[in-house]
Amino acid sequence: RERERETLIFRFWCPSPAGKPVGETVLFFGCQKKALHFMYQEELENFTQDGVLKMFVAFSRDQATKDYVQHHVKREAAVVGDLLEKGAHFYICGDAKHMAHDVQEALVDVLTVDGNRQAAQEKLKQMSTKKRIQLDVWS
């Protein structure tokens, strides 16, 4: 885990290898229990306090009502919509069976204008084709 920690720190404190400025970084992070599964909590919270990261966290088993990443994506539709308009890239990592699908559906909800889900789904598909949405999922 030390190598991943170093990579995370490098990402936030070093310029991009291409010399281009790094855009706004927003993380929607979810896991079952904060005390057991919140990897790199201290580093991520420090990045948030330093203003280099905006973070939304969901812990599905820490309260009576389950709280998932897709709930935060929908709740923060204005933030997500703004990122999409700016050409943001999305990386969805996690469970392929439920989580990845549910987060993609939340993105479709954010992209839906005037009830036209088909156009929103097409926009999401185009983003995937352009590698603006990438999945790292497992079953």
Side-chain angles (χ1 to χ4, degrees):
R1 280 197 4 158
E2 196 55 38
R3 177 75 175 137
E4 288 89 358
R5 182 173 273 110
E6 290 170 6
T7 301
L8 183 68
I9 291 168
F10 181 83
R11 158 62 181 92
F12 284 103
W13 294 114
C14 297
S16 75
K20 296 179 182 177
V22 176
E24 182 179 4
T25 303
V26 179
L27 173 66
F28 288 86
F29 177 87
C31 60
Q32 290 184 352
K33 294 187 175 283
K34 181 179 182 176
L36 295 174
H37 306 115
F38 194 176
M39 295 174 56
Y40 313 116
Q41 177 181 354
E42 183 179 340
E43 291 85 354
L44 292 170
E45 288 175 346
N46 286 339
F47 296 142
T48 300
Q49 290 171 0
D50 292 344
V52 295
L53 172 69
K54 186 181 290 185
M55 181 170 57
F56 302 95
V57 294
F59 303 106
S60 62
R61 305 299 192 277
D62 282 348
Q63 62 282 319
T65 305
K66 291 186 179 175
D67 187 33
Y68 294 116
V69 167
Q70 61 266 24
H71 299 141
H72 290 263
V73 169
K74 289 178 186 180
R75 242 186 319 251
E76 300 299 332
V79 170
V80 174
D82 184 52
L83 290 168
L84 290 168
E85 291 300 317
K86 291 178 180 175
H89 289 249
F90 285 79
Y91 300 92
I92 301 172
C93 307
D95 167 41
K97 187 173 183 182
H98 299 288
M99 189 283 302
H101 174 267
D102 293 344
V103 170
Q104 289 179 85
E105 283 299 308
L107 288 172
V108 169
D109 289 346
V110 170
L111 290 167
T112 298
V113 177
D114 297 326
N116 190 347
R117 283 187 68 78
Q118 186 173 358
Q121 289 167 332
E122 183 58 35
K123 191 179 277 189
L124 199 67
K125 186 177 176 182
Q126 289 171 1
M127 289 176 63
S128 181
T129 301
K130 294 177 181 178
K131 305 279 191 238
R132 285 185 51 207
I133 292 184
Q134 296 184 37
L135 303 177
D136 181 4
V137 296
W138 56 88
S139 52

